[in-house]
Amino acid sequence: MSEYRNRAVVLKQRPQGEIQQGDLALEDRPVRPPNEGEVVAQILWLSLDPYMRPRMNDAKGYMDPIGIDEPIVGESVARVVESRSDALKVGDLVTCYSGWQEYVTFPADAPMVYRIQERPNVPLQAYLGVAGMPGRTGYCGLIYVGKPKAGETVVVSAASGPVGTVVGQTAKSEGCRVVGVAGGPDKCHYVVDELGFDACVDYKAGNLEAALKAACPDGIDIYFENVGGAVTRAVAPLLNAGARVPICGYVSAYNATDMASVETPFHVLKALDPVPEHRFFLVTEWQDRHQEITDILASRVASGNLNYRETVAEGLENAVEAFKGMLKGKNFGKQLVHIAD
């Protein structure tokens, strides 16, 4: 396997708050030869997502922590370069959870490995964004947890990101009034002018509560939670009777040094009277519909009915800085790392 020079970003120590020098390292790693039924794949595109940060902590959450000296977890688009399986052949394109590295060896029948059905006008990296896990997360959380009805007001935080992008455009297609929350005038203009939201509130402008109230004169029926913190507190008093709150995550807290002391969306919502319907959800709850929903989203991308933005870092060596920036909202749209063509 010497023809494959593999590099991986591995966890060297658990970050205390924001990621610091020495927490993660780029190392040469061998590529394991494939056993019978396995393949070797080259990573072309790597997805960077907020959920990766809590998994660097030594705390049991909804997913196991990353082990010390293990590659950072992550989904990728990869091309099979060696195969000892009838299920996947050399040249096949897949999405898989390779982690942050340039090559990976895995069983062809491993869970969460899906062959990509290429189609015109759908770039490969879209299968990591609006037609991938973030897109399915937004679609499933809105449709199956939020249960939108025409005429309702839907608010989504992190509106310009891949999850919020799909939530908002899907809610519009369901006949809802859609209000985004995003950071900065550029993102807010994009959300309204290009994604077609009815309004977007800039949480950095200093008048969050008043701006949100003005944008939601009839209150809020569905709040799709991505960030937590001040946005949740501003949304809470505007929630109508019968409101639903799908909780995807709360990225504002992910760099906290003491998660036990963090005010989560659950604290805010449970203090309301009445308490709105709310729950944390994972996209894997609808894993049996993976291909169906991927096809819906990819078709919307292909037809131009699902717009999106991307921020691309070139090379695995730039993944850590891109990830740190993403956690602070420096990216515009889906954060990706381009590794190979």
Side-chain angles (χ1 to χ4, degrees), residues 21 62-63 69 97 118 164 171 190 199 247 269 302 317 322 335:
Q21 189 75 26
Y62 63 88
M63 302 171 93
D69 279 328
Y97 280 82
E118 286 190 273
Y190 165 74
I247 300 175
L269 297 170
E317 62 275 9
Q335 179 66 62

Side-chain angles (χ1 to χ4, degrees), residues 37-293:
E38 292 188 321
V39 300
V40 179
Q42 180 183 19
I43 311 310
L44 308 181
W45 290 90
L46 173 65
S47 174
L48 301 186
D49 299 285
Y51 77 84
M52 298 166 177
R53 176 60 190 87
R55 291 193 64 184
M56 296 177 192
N57 300 334
D58 189 16
K60 185 74 174 80
Y62 63 88
M63 302 171 93
D64 291 334
I66 301 165
I68 298 297
D69 279 328
E70 288 183 4
I72 305 304
V73 66
E75 190 179 19
S76 61
V77 167
R79 180 186 293 114
V80 175
V81 293
E82 190 170 332
S83 176
R84 294 186 63 190
S85 165
D86 294 333
L88 291 173
K89 63 181 187 297
V90 171
D92 280 351
L93 294 162
V94 297
T95 54
C96 62
Y97 280 82
S98 64
W100 294 20
Q101 56 187 339
E102 293 170 323
Y103 289 88
V104 64
T105 304
F106 57 87
D109 62 354
M112 312 295 277
V113 174
Y114 295 94
R115 189 189 282 111
I116 294 173
Q117 309 293 336
E118 286 190 273
R119 63 174 79 199
N121 301 318
V122 184
L124 283 178
Q125 68 270 27
Y127 291 99
L128 297 175
V130 294
M133 183 274 289
R136 289 188 298 274
T137 298
Y139 183 91
C140 292
L142 176 70
I143 295 297
Y144 304 129
V145 183
K147 303 185 179 81
K149 296 187 280 289
E152 290 189 318
T153 296
V154 176
V155 171
V156 56
S157 50
S160 67
V163 176
T165 287
V166 170
V167 170
Q169 292 177 86
T170 303
K172 283 300 292 181
S173 73
E174 296 288 319
C176 298
R177 173 176 171 78
V178 181
V179 177
V181 179
D186 289 347
K187 289 182 179 179
C188 287
H189 286 311
Y190 165 74
V191 164
V192 173
D193 297 340
E194 295 188 44
L195 300 185
F197 287 36
D198 295 286
C200 190
V201 173
D202 181 0
Y203 72 84
K204 293 182 176 179
N207 59 342
L208 179 58
E209 291 85 355
L212 195 58
K213 189 170 185 178
C216 304
D218 298 322
I220 298 170
D221 300 297
I222 300 172
Y223 172 50
F224 194 103
E225 174 68 280
N226 283 316
V227 301
V231 178
T232 310
R233 291 193 295 274
V235 164
L238 301 176
L239 291 170
N240 291 328
R244 289 84 70 201
V245 184
I247 300 175
C248 176
Y250 35 102
V251 70
S252 66
Y254 287 176
N255 276 327
T257 52
D258 180 12
M259 285 299 288
S261 66
V262 169
E263 180 191 53
T264 71
F266 303 99
H267 296 120
V268 175
L269 297 170
K270 285 179 179 174
L272 298 176
D273 185 16
V275 177
E277 182 183 324
H278 67 283
R279 75 173 180 91
F280 179 72
F281 73 92
L282 293 174
V283 69
T284 47
E285 295 173 34
W286 302 278
Q287 201 62 39
D288 59 331
R289 305 188 67 179
H290 177 282
Q291 203 56 52
E292 173 195 346
I293 295 165

